[in-house]
Amino acid sequence: MTAALSASSLDVAPRLIGARVATTFDGDLVEIVIDEVEAYGGADDPASHAFSGRTERNEPMFGPPGMIYVYRSYGIHWCVNIVTGDIDEAQAVLIRGGRVVEGLDTVIARRGRSDHLADGPGKLTQALAIDGGHSGSMLGRGGVNLQLDERGLHRYVTAPRVGISKATEWPWRFIAAGT
């Protein structure tokens, strides 16, 4: 798995469209097919949390490919990223959204609703029960798993990233075509 993530965030991001991210906590399996992601570079990307260097908060971004970087957005929502590239490059892909394919009843209970279950980064982490305690863990360990789609790349469109104030025009958001 980590070999597939050992590339730039711009190369990995479109390959995550159609991948499945799954968690199993307290015996509850939830699986989501990813349909929207955003790529973040390291020192060369002014929108990246790693742009100004290493901090305690962003340390997982400097880890090996397959490490999970979780942060709180606006002090409210957890957001989950998959670290890509080489150690110390600080590249990552934010998982922005997807569709629940396993564990629907669990997700409805976690979200307290039956619609818009994982169509945003905060909703997705709530659906998967991912929080800051998972930051710094590796995929496949600690309850968070990723399975790339063996069939290859899915069709996608690109768009500018959202929810940022710098490099807003860069088309580093990847969205499954037809969603």
Side-chain angles (χ1 to χ4, degrees):
M1 166 59 62
T2 56
L5 301 173
S6 295
S8 76
S9 59
L10 279 175
D11 289 334
V12 172
R15 287 188 269 170
L16 292 181
I17 300 296
R20 292 172 179 249
V21 61
T23 58
T24 304
F25 299 122
D26 299 324
D28 294 321
L29 170 66
V30 171
E31 188 170 66
I32 293 176
V33 173
I34 299 169
D35 62 20
E36 184 177 353
V37 298
E38 286 180 348
Y40 286 89
D44 298 331
D45 180 357
S48 171
H49 289 176
F51 181 69
S52 297
R54 249 184 173 108
T55 66
E56 185 177 335
R57 175 190 187 207
N58 71 17
E59 181 64 30
M61 283 188 76
F62 293 86
M67 183 165 274
I68 299 167
Y69 168 51
V70 182
Y71 67 90
R72 199 171 288 274
S73 178
Y74 301 109
I76 303 169
H77 305 289
W78 293 110
C79 296
V80 64
N81 297 258
I82 307 301
V83 174
T84 68
D86 292 328
I87 292 174
D88 294 329
E89 284 185 357
Q91 296 192 50
V93 177
L94 169 65
I95 303 176
R96 286 199 53 81
R99 116 187 107 73
V100 178
V101 293
E102 184 73 38
L104 182 61
D105 291 339
T106 298
V107 172
I108 290 170
R110 287 176 181 166
R111 295 270 302 121
R113 60 186 306 156
S114 60
D115 62 343
H116 299 284
L117 296 174
D119 59 350
K123 298 173 190 178
L124 181 130
T125 54
Q126 187 178 21
L128 290 166
I130 294 174
D131 61 27
H134 298 101
S135 196
S137 63
M138 291 294 294
L139 289 170
R141 296 182 225 152
V144 181
N145 297 292
L146 179 72
Q147 181 180 0
L148 297 175
D149 189 336
E150 304 270 334
R151 296 174 295 170
L153 284 174
H154 288 258
R155 291 178 17 130
Y156 62 87
V157 296
T158 60
R161 297 178 292 189
V162 296
I164 56 174
S165 60
K166 297 176 182 169
T168 56
E169 70 284 359
W170 295 10
W172 286 16
R173 191 168 98 196
F174 299 82
I175 307 161
T179 59

